Amino acid sequence: MKIFFVAVLSMMFFSCSTATLTSVAIDQKLPTKEDDILESKPHTNYTIKKEVDAYPESIIFIIADGTGVGQYTLSYYANGEFAPARFDHIGMVATHPNDGECATSCKRVTDSAASGTALSAGQKTYNGAIAVDNDKNPVKTMLEWAQEKGMSTGLVATSSVTHATPASFAAHVDYRKKEHEIAQQYATADVDVILGGGKKFWPDSLITFYESQGAQFIEDINTPLEEDKRLLGLFADKGLSKVYEGTREVSTTQMAKVALSKLDKNENGFFVMIEESQVDWGGHSNNGQYIKGEMQSLNNLVNYILDYQENNPNVLVVLTADHECGGVAVHDSEGGDIEIRFTSDYHSANFVPIFATGPGASVFDAFIDNTEIGKQLIKYINKD
């Protein structure tokens, strides 16, 4: 009899549970992938509204490629001292390109070429475009404006120097993969300092031509420099080695020191773009250790540059990113550690921070479109 009652009670319990589950399933639709596809609404490209309170004599523009809030959070918890906390002004930036009609095929996720062009020239363009507009016409960059004003100019990168972000400041091509063509344009672009990787895109004949135009080529950062010559330093065949593997040929900070030693002697001032390129590559690789190492390199660079700015208060320092990469998020793990999770192995449309210190920095206390950065820095260069 006891066995009978147990069986009856079990049947009643399971039938009630099944009924409850069925009721929940009917009353509450389970989420599907389609629920995550949202209609994209027309957006506003927010502009800088603050009045300029001062003009800088020189500009150091740091671009941490692929670095969003998640990457900064990772660095904050994994690298200790958080150098960006030293900046006086902080804002947020939207990074979408001008690629497709928003009613049908509008892209919200940029690549480094389109975003590099937005930052260098203050103009939206299509993904893959290097300092050209949607009709493939060249657009004038802040580095070119600086040259016109008699300022010294420089490019520093931990990728190949012909990669999308640095290329967007000193070359004009319709597609970012044309790195040999970009190198050819660099050879006649009169940039005072170019430092990074990418020797494979510079055949010996091009380097010989570059040197014949009054320039010095080095492959070792400790090479004595010829004072009155432009400088090309290529320290790896492609991008520099990964920081976390312990084999990087030269640090970003070392390259920045050399660049500034060449550039800051000009009484007309200087403009230099320094790219911490490989935070982006760590996001593409979904590799937390990779990102951690590159963010530590960024920490070191920021500390050095802000120390320099304290001794040279007429210099404006701006740090931002071209986009976020990987959809990075930080979670708790066991024993007080953190776990890094990724939403993809490509870029996202997530907003990125902007940090600034120095004359004119206060205007970046805002939510703005990425083109506003380019427009504002060009305004500072032209003293408009």
Side-chain angles (χ1 to χ4, degrees):
M1 181 66 70
K2 182 177 180 180
I3 295 174
F4 172 77
F5 280 118
V6 170
V8 171
L9 288 171
S10 297
M11 290 174 62
M12 291 174 63
F13 172 79
F14 284 113
S15 62
C16 288
S17 299
T18 303
T20 300
L21 289 172
T22 302
S23 176
V24 169
I26 292 172
D27 294 340
Q28 299 179 6
K29 177 178 176 290
L30 294 175
T32 66
K33 182 62 179 175
E34 286 69 27
D35 293 320
D36 297 330
I37 307 300
L38 309 179
E39 180 185 356
S40 180
K41 297 292 186 181
H43 60 269
T44 299
N45 289 336
Y46 287 91
T47 61
I48 289 173
K49 295 182 174 61
K50 290 187 178 181
E51 294 296 324
V52 175
D53 54 11
Y55 282 82
E57 292 181 3
S58 299
I59 297 171
I60 300 173
F61 190 14
I62 305 171
I63 299 176
D65 198 303
T67 305
V69 172
Q71 285 81 355
Y72 281 110
T73 308
L74 179 159
S75 188
Y76 178 77
Y77 289 113
N79 282 327
E81 180 198 11
F82 188 63
R86 296 179 58 188
F87 281 97
D88 296 323
H89 302 278
I90 304 174
M92 285 295 258
V93 182
T95 64
H96 52 269
N98 182 14
D99 199 330
E101 293 296 327
C102 283
T104 55
S105 60
C106 186
K107 288 183 170 62
R108 302 304 188 185
V109 177
T110 188
D111 80 330
S112 292
S115 56
T117 302
L119 294 174
S120 72
Q123 183 159 335
K124 296 284 190 187
T125 191
Y126 62 91
N127 284 339
I130 299 291
V132 297
D133 62 20
N134 278 62
D135 296 320
K136 302 182 180 179
N137 298 312
V139 292
K140 194 169 183 177
T141 73
M142 64 181 66
L143 184 144
E144 292 167 333
W145 281 111
Q147 288 176 326
E148 190 172 286
K149 295 298 180 180
M151 301 169 72
S152 297
T153 58
L155 295 173
V156 175
T158 59
S159 62
S160 63
V161 296
T162 50
H163 213 253
T165 303
S168 296
F169 286 80
H172 304 273
V173 295
D174 61 351
Y175 184 51
R176 58 181 290 177
K177 296 296 185 182
K178 297 179 177 180
E179 292 192 58
H180 286 98
E181 183 176 338
I182 291 166
Q184 290 173 356
Q185 291 189 29
Y186 279 1
T188 57
D190 290 331
V191 182
D192 294 286
V193 178
I194 302 173
L195 302 173
K199 189 174 184 298
K200 67 171 289 186
F201 300 109
W202 295 75
D204 292 342
S205 59
L206 185 61
I207 290 175
T208 299
F209 170 80
Y210 180 81
E211 291 175 315
S212 74
Q213 302 301 301
Q216 180 184 8
F217 170 65
I218 66 172
E219 295 182 86
D220 183 337
I221 196 68
N222 297 310
T223 302
L225 302 182
E226 299 177 44
E227 187 171 338
D228 297 325
K229 290 189 174 183
R230 290 182 290 120
L231 178 64
L232 171 66
L234 302 176
F235 309 111
D237 198 41
K238 298 180 182 178
L240 302 184
S241 301
K242 303 175 183 67
V243 169
Y244 85 99
E245 291 181 346
T247 57
R248 176 150 290 179
E249 298 81 356
V250 57
S251 73
T252 320
T253 301
Q254 286 177 297
M255 292 190 290
K257 287 179 180 178
V258 169
L260 291 177
S261 74
K262 294 280 287 184
L263 299 174
D264 69 0
K265 296 178 175 63
N266 188 340
E267 63 181 13
N268 294 320
F270 66 85
F271 167 81
V272 62
M273 191 287 294
I274 305 172
E275 185 192 28
E276 196 69 71
S277 315
Q278 295 190 39
V279 183
D280 176 65
W281 298 358
H284 284 297
S285 300
N286 283 185
N287 186 329
Q289 288 291 347
Y290 196 166
I291 296 172
K292 178 180 182 292
E294 303 306 315
M295 292 301 292
Q296 182 59 62
S297 177
L298 179 65
N299 254 358
N300 297 341
L301 173 67
V302 167
N303 276 327
Y304 169 71
I305 293 297
L306 292 182
D307 287 347
Y308 175 89
Q309 196 278 334
E310 287 179 359
N311 293 317
N312 299 271
N314 291 322
V315 175
L316 169 65
V317 180
V318 176
L319 163 65
T320 193
D322 49 357
H323 53 73
E324 194 277 342
C325 184
V328 172
V330 176
H331 296 264
D332 282 325
S333 186
E334 296 179 359
D337 291 337
I338 58 173
E339 179 185 351
I340 309 305
R341 300 178 191 170
F342 301 87
T343 62
S344 78
D345 60 2
Y346 190 61
H347 307 165
S348 75
N350 291 353
F351 300 148
V352 299
I354 182 169
F355 305 86
T357 287
S362 64
V363 301
F364 297 112
D365 279 332
F367 176 73
I368 55 175
D369 187 72
N370 58 0
T371 54
E372 289 295 291
I373 303 170
K375 292 174 183 176
Q376 192 69 29
L377 295 184
I378 290 171
K379 182 176 183 178
Y380 287 156
I381 289 167
N382 290 319
K383 302 294 191 291
D384 290 344

